[in-house]
Amino acid sequence: MTDCIRSGGNSCGLNGNRCRPFDNASFAFRCPANCKRVHVLNPHAVGRREINYKPFVIGGPPEDDSTSSPSNPIYRADSFLCQAAIHAGVIGNDKGGCGVVKLAGEHTNFTSSTAHGIRSIPFDASFPKSFTFVPNISSDCIKDLRWPLLAVTVIFTTILSICTASCAVFFPTVFTLLFFHVGLVSDPPSTTGNYASLSSLIIGRFLPAAFVAAVFYRYTVKPQQKDLQGAFFERTILWLGGAWVGSLNNYTFDFIPIQRLTPSDLRAQPGARLALVIIVVLLFSIALGQVWYLRLEGRLPKYLGIYAIFITFLIVCVIVPSLNLRIHHYFLALLLLPGTRVQTRPSLLYQGILVGLFINGTARWGFDSILQTTAALRGDGQLNSLLPNVTATVSTASNITFQWSLPAKAIQKGYDGLSVLVNDVESWRWYTGEGETEKTFERRWEGEKEYFRFAYMSGSSAGDFTKAGTWEGTGVWREGDAGAS
């Protein structure tokens, strides 16, 4: 869903040569359903703009093109391919689909428009690689069958829940069906292989998940559903319905503006802190209710001891040096499941949702570590590295010269060079001993603006790039904002 035809930053090398060909090539593609929901989770620079927590589609048909499938819309090559296909009307978000993409080489002035629920990003400069979609041609592909298969699985699990008295039959069957439905149909992991490799991955994740499920079945699910005579409809609506809600959380909870429970994400994502406060208040209210029921059953002291151990474990995780605590779906479910043992209708619902969250977390992401390094959490985000101080001198409307220095602080951090991005593509490199610390650039196209970003380099690896400065078509230089991009 996030496949790009070109990588970002300087990963494509000088002039993007590692990402060739730029044109005269075409290939077929296939997209699953629900690609529109995918957002970039770290700031991505497009000229002077920074895109975050949004779809990443640059270009497309102009706003005044009202046709449902405009001809030959042009997109920048680092756009998310499947989202661009939705924006262009080649495929639909609900069912996915297939098509043929054609590389269109260099293009300038990528327009912004809103189409099929996606707002594309404008870029008013040139870019060496772009693509369009071949009209009236589609490749052979298997349609996304998640909705028909969902209907079949829901009907089967509903009949099983109503007609089965044995929890030992009900729970393992439902758990297995939901796990493979999530892993193979509704929210499969991103893989570069075929369906066989996906099946192998899901089977590998199922075995440890089934072992953990056997444990919480023994200590939470089985005691809760013991002697559940005459309440099969309630179990079906509350427990099974909750399990489906949790398993399909890529749909059911997608409206919550929290992508990752990390301090930086909570600060950066609009609405995340308010949503977290609401969730914490809701969980606290639910916990009070469960505490009351545990007290009535005489189990409160035992469970207070269990959760004291959990809290102590979390505190130890927080203070471990060089590692960061990250609460994943599956881990949150494991923490809260013991408190749902009591035999009440609310507990049926809570337990079903938590089991569903555990299934979705392990099937989609596996048992990812709850202690992660800063680099693992950062992903493709900013490194918080030293930024170069660059000054610009405009000679004429067609020439601009940049000067910089490599201070002792940068040398101590291992930097030995400078990378320059022009229009988001690496256009030049300088290393210590290769001459003066200045470079003159000539404008490629008369009257067209160009965006410049700079970063120190250590070997072939670049640090953070500065925010983009703009060399206007009139020759005026506009400094970039402070900070990294």
Side-chain angles (χ1 to χ4, degrees):
M1 288 185 286
T2 60
D3 285 349
C4 303
I5 303 176
R6 182 192 174 278
S7 302
N10 73 335
S11 57
C12 281
L14 280 172
N15 301 312
N17 286 329
R18 287 206 296 266
C19 293
R20 288 183 179 274
F22 292 165
D23 55 12
N24 295 323
S26 61
F27 59 88
F29 66 91
R30 178 181 181 272
C31 298
N34 205 29
C35 286
K36 190 167 65 176
R37 63 179 287 269
V38 178
H39 292 172
V40 290
L41 300 181
N42 288 305
H44 284 60
V46 179
R48 293 184 75 96
R49 291 179 172 83
E50 284 200 353
I51 311 303
N52 201 9
Y53 302 112
K54 295 179 180 179
F56 199 72
V57 178
I58 306 168
E63 193 74 69
D64 56 1
D65 191 339
S66 60
T67 59
S68 59
S69 297
S71 59
N72 299 324
I74 301 293
Y75 296 90
R76 220 173 79 163
D78 51 349
S79 302
F80 288 171
L81 178 57
C82 290
Q83 290 186 340
I86 294 172
H87 185 265
V90 175
I91 65 171
N93 182 61
D94 292 338
K95 297 181 179 180
C98 302
V100 178
V101 68
K102 178 182 179 181
L103 300 184
E106 186 171 19
H107 186 75
T108 188
N109 194 23
F110 296 83
T111 58
S112 172
S113 60
T114 300
H116 305 100
I118 295 178
R119 178 72 180 177
S120 68
I121 305 159
F123 184 65
D124 54 352
S126 63
F127 199 78
K129 188 174 183 179
S130 63
F131 65 86
T132 187
F133 298 100
V134 180
N136 303 320
I137 296 179
S138 63
S139 63
D140 294 332
C141 79
I142 301 173
K143 292 183 178 180
D144 194 307
L145 299 176
R146 68 183 61 197
W147 300 117
L149 289 175
L150 174 64
V152 172
T153 313
V154 167
I155 291 172
F156 181 83
T157 54
T158 300
I159 294 174
L160 178 72
S161 178
I162 294 173
C163 299
T164 303
S166 172
C167 186
V169 174
F170 168 74
F171 177 78
T173 306
V174 170
F175 181 88
T176 302
L177 287 173
L178 264 63
F179 191 95
F180 282 96
H181 181 87
V182 170
L184 299 177
V185 181
S186 68
D187 198 11
S190 299
T191 61
T192 57
N194 53 25
Y195 204 74
S197 63
L198 174 62
S199 301
S200 175
L201 177 64
I202 296 303
I203 292 172
R205 291 178 176 179
F206 175 73
L207 295 178
F211 174 79
V212 176
V215 174
F216 65 68
Y217 165 76
R218 169 67 178 81
Y219 293 102
T220 60
V221 178
K222 183 179 179 181
Q224 186 205 61
Q225 299 193 16
K226 182 180 180 181
D227 299 326
L228 203 65
Q229 299 295 332
F232 299 138
F233 283 99
E234 291 171 298
R235 179 179 68 179
T236 302
I237 295 172
L238 297 175
W239 196 99
L240 182 61
W244 273 112
V245 168
S247 296
L248 300 175
N249 81 86
N250 55 316
Y251 291 97
T252 54
F253 298 139
D254 192 47
F255 67 94
I256 300 175
I258 299 177
Q259 297 293 332
R260 298 174 297 193
L261 279 174
T262 60
S264 59
D265 283 272
L266 293 175
R267 287 192 301 268
Q269 189 167 4
R273 284 179 287 189
L274 176 60
L276 181 62
V277 170
I278 294 173
I279 291 172
V280 170
V281 171
L282 180 62
L283 289 178
F284 182 73
S285 302
I286 292 173
L288 289 179
Q290 295 302 102
V291 165
W292 175 256
Y293 291 124
L294 287 170
R295 177 179 174 276
L296 293 179
E297 289 190 0
R299 302 178 185 273
L300 183 58
K302 175 182 177 181
Y303 278 84
L304 287 177
I306 292 174
Y307 277 97
I309 296 173
F310 288 172
I311 292 172
T312 303
F313 173 74
L314 292 176
I315 293 173
V316 171
C317 291
V318 169
I319 64 177
V320 172
S322 304
L323 292 173
N324 302 278
L325 176 65
R326 183 175 179 186
I327 306 297
H328 298 283
H329 290 68
Y330 78 89
F331 189 68
L332 179 64
L334 292 179
L335 288 176
L336 299 180
L337 270 169
T340 64
R341 173 177 171 146
V342 294
Q343 288 186 310
T344 63
R345 291 183 179 87
S347 291
L348 276 173
L349 176 62
Y350 304 151
Q351 188 177 100
I353 292 174
L354 292 174
V355 170
L357 287 176
F358 174 82
I359 290 172
N360 182 274
T362 52
R364 177 64 176 87
W365 305 104
F367 285 91
D368 207 5
S369 175
I370 62 171
L371 290 176
Q372 295 184 321
T373 62
T374 300
L377 286 176
R378 182 176 58 239
D380 61 352
Q382 296 171 358
L383 304 170
N384 297 320
S385 61
L386 187 66
L387 297 174
N389 183 18
V390 180
T391 59
T393 303
V394 178
S395 304
T396 67
S398 300
N399 294 275
I400 187 169
T401 301
F402 296 100
Q403 299 91 23
W404 64 91
S405 63
L406 191 66
K409 185 177 181 180
I411 296 173
Q412 292 171 359
K413 292 181 177 294
Y415 293 118
D416 58 357
L418 185 84
S419 172
V420 182
L421 301 186
V422 181
N423 293 344
D424 302 333
V425 178
E426 189 176 41
S427 295
W428 191 72
R429 291 181 181 182
W430 170 88
Y431 288 99
T432 303
E434 292 186 349
E436 299 296 326
T437 56
E438 66 175 32
K439 170 66 176 177
T440 299
F441 289 86
E442 294 185 0
R443 192 185 301 276
R444 294 187 63 223
W445 305 104
E446 183 178 355
E448 182 181 293
K449 67 173 60 176
E450 295 181 354
Y451 298 98
F452 288 81
R453 293 190 284 144
F454 307 88
Y456 285 127
M457 297 190 69
S458 177
S460 60
S461 299
D464 287 333
F465 283 89
T466 62
K467 293 186 185 297
T470 308
W471 188 20
E472 301 287 352
T474 58
V476 175
W477 170 252
R478 291 175 55 204
E479 291 283 352
D481 297 331
S485 60

